[in-house]
Amino acid sequence: MSAVSFTPSRCHIDLAALQRNFARLGSPASLMPVIKSDAYGHGLFPVARALANAGARRFAVGTAGEGVALREAGFNQEIVPLTGGMTLDEWRTAAAHTLTPVIGCFEDMDKAAACSRHDRLFRVALKFDTGMARLGFSVDDLPDVLEHLRLRPGLSPVLVLSHMACADMPDDLDYSTAQIERFTILCAALRVAFPDIERSLANSAATLGLPESHFDVCRPGIALYGGNPFADTAWEDRGGMLEWVMSVSAPVVQVRRINAGQSVSYGRQFTAPDSMTVAVITAGYATGIARGLSNHIDVLIDGRRAPQIGRICMGLLVADVSAIPDVRVGDTAWILGGQGAPGVRPVSALEMARELGTIPYEILCRMGGANPRVYNEGKKLLVKEAANR
Ligand SMILES: *Cc1c(COP(=O)(O)O)cnc(C)c1O
């Protein structure tokens, strides 16, 4: 990175933690890691590379474009674009790059068939809806799907998938069990025509919580990046071993004393009850911290929590550091993650999500997309970078 950058904040990605999470979720052969949307904000290529080094044989991406980018970067694993292709051109490109796109409706199947070639079968995935009512053929379509495939011998279905609606909700186990049953029956019928077709149903929650949903291939996403799908539920322990992969830092650019009665930031939403020491930090809603978190979140400085005060600005926020001795310009504030002193929890994407009424997925996508990313294979480089400051 050049000596001068647009944004002084940094998104740190711990690829070793990613690899450990991957290993915790099952054997590489039984997993198709989901790296859609720029790997949930963690960066498509570095994440794919780290997972490939950890033994990943397949990847699920969001779009054909992401799949093509991986192929062109030299990845030779099976690549499954979950939304197939949009235009006929995209299907053609997907076929040319030996992707395995998902077909979820008859229009898709026609486009895919138009791109299959006599000399090479077009490997595709079939998607059925078993309870999301989002993408996929309905289960009742199966006879028609089989007939359409019989008439389109250039298509080779190698994978069948469906998606869980509420596997992260132990209280709704009945719904998940019904989805698993529908998928089991569907796959049995499909395997009469395609005996070798691999079956995939489980997302992160099902991978961790519902062994009977595993079939041949699990498709974890959020768990790879450290999100526990069972946080705040009775099954919390089932994802308790996961580690967050992303942390976000920003430097302190000013430290000042303010007097009792002085207000802080736009709109005067915070007034100092006593004299206090505050630090100004170069992070704001332009670097992914939702303005709705104003006065509701902490940052971590020197291993301790400093409450954020006043309105969060575009590229700046203010934190109360009265209780932390010797905070100086140039110190690192951790917006997400970082190393807490004994007994101090760093701020997590889950905590932020709770405060905002959203889910960690959204926090990670936003933070990862809004900050320059740096990659660490382990904690060592983080320390080195701090020393260089
Ligand atoms: C995003 C996605 C996943 C992964 O879901 P997580 O909850 O992140 O594990 C799996 N399958 C499909 C079809 C998806 O769209």
Side-chain angles (χ1 to χ4, degrees), residues 140-176:
D140 297 339
D141 288 335
L142 182 62
D144 282 346
V145 170
L146 289 173
E147 179 60 12
H148 273 68
L149 286 169
R150 200 179 61 76
L151 297 171
R152 291 165 181 76
L155 297 180
S156 170
V158 294
L159 185 69
V160 53
L161 45 119
S162 187
H163 197 34
M164 302 293 287
C166 59
D168 56 339
M169 297 160 68
D171 290 344
D172 282 291
L173 188 56
D174 288 353
Y175 194 87
S176 296

Side-chain angles (χ1 to χ4, degrees), residues 238-253:
R238 300 190 191 199
M241 70 302 202
L242 300 168
E243 302 166 69
W244 293 109
V245 170
M246 180 187 293
S247 46
V248 177
S249 69
V252 171
V253 287

Side-chain angles (χ1 to χ4, degrees), residues 8 65 109 145 165 183 213 229 263 339 360:
M109 202 187 288
V145 170
F183 191 66
S213 73
S263 63
Q339 195 67 52

